Amino acid sequence: DAGVIQSPRHEVTEMGQEVTLRCKPISGHDYLFWYRQTMMRGLELLIYFNNNVPIDDSGMPEDRFSAKMPNASFSTLKIQPSEPRDSAVYFCASTWANYGYTFGSGTRLTVV
Amino acid sequence: GESVGLHLPTLSVQEGDNSIINCAYSNSASDYFIWYKQESGKGPQFIIDIRSNMDKRQGQRVTVLLNKTVKHLSLQIAATQPGDSAVYFCAVLHGGKLIFGQGTELSVKP
């Protein structure tokens, strides 16, 4: 198994641009999570899905952030418009039955 | 809700010594706990987990201890090696969400 796959690994964009982060979970996993990691706030849960349905998006910072999971093998996290304070490492994780979470390698986002 | 805290942000040990990293959680209803290791530029890597019906669980060179009475979790690494240098996070499952502590940076001196 290739694990959780995220793309791109690095993204540099200008303030105001739309950014889309992508995640492919491990096949057979029924939960998918998006986390954001910063030095100040550590690892924060943004949103999670169960069987492709968003369950809890209370961690999404504001309306500029949106996430979708159109099928069991793909999810996106979109920021529109992006701001410098969105700069962070964004991780996707997946799990089966909410145990033994596996994380991807992350996307390092820099908004200038 | 749940909040997770670590006792020390940094820990320095001599190669070959044992390391102990501690974590405290707030909600007694939390029932699943995981330790992760994160190396620079990588995602968190699963080390070991424990459920609330257990007090201790052992893996290869690692042991997790859970004290539900005081809501405390610890990770013990035996014979610490340079490759163990990383940031270690405890994470607690509560209400379907995995909540992370701030992390302890472990440095291993040769």
Side-chain angles (χ1 to χ4, degrees), chain A residues 3-4 7 28 36 42-43 51-52 56 59 82 87 96 112:
Chain A
V4 177
S7 64
R36 177 171 68 175
L43 274 159
N51 292 322
N52 314 336
D56 189 329
S82 58
S87 297
W96 180 80
V112 297

Side-chain angles (χ1 to χ4, degrees), chain B residues 15-64:
Chain B
E15 181 178 357
D17 287 351
N18 296 334
S19 303
I20 299 177
I21 301 172
N22 296 302
C23 181
Y25 61 98
S26 63
N27 197 310
S28 56
S30 297
D31 57 3
Y32 181 57
F33 309 86
I34 310 176
W35 281 100
Y36 282 92
K37 172 185 181 182
Q38 187 176 27
E39 296 172 290
S40 181
K42 297 183 179 179
Q45 177 187 1
F46 176 95
I47 301 173
I48 191 168
D49 60 358
I50 189 168
R51 300 187 187 188
S52 58
N53 61 351
M54 302 173 69
D55 297 322
K56 178 180 180 179
R57 191 161 186 229
Q58 289 184 286
Q60 187 177 15
R61 286 201 304 117
V62 294
T63 301
V64 55

Side-chain angles (χ1 to χ4, degrees), chain B residues 39-94:
Chain B
E39 296 172 290
S40 181
K42 297 183 179 179
Q45 177 187 1
F46 176 95
I47 301 173
I48 191 168
D49 60 358
I50 189 168
R51 300 187 187 188
S52 58
N53 61 351
M54 302 173 69
D55 297 322
K56 178 180 180 179
R57 191 161 186 229
Q58 289 184 286
Q60 187 177 15
R61 286 201 304 117
V62 294
T63 301
V64 55
L65 298 177
L66 176 63
N67 185 330
K68 295 180 288 293
T69 302
V70 295
K71 298 194 282 291
H72 182 269
L73 188 70
S74 69
L75 175 71
Q76 300 178 2
I77 304 173
T80 312
Q81 302 169 359
D84 295 326
S85 295
V87 178
Y88 290 80
F89 294 93
C90 68
V92 179
L93 185 66
H94 180 78

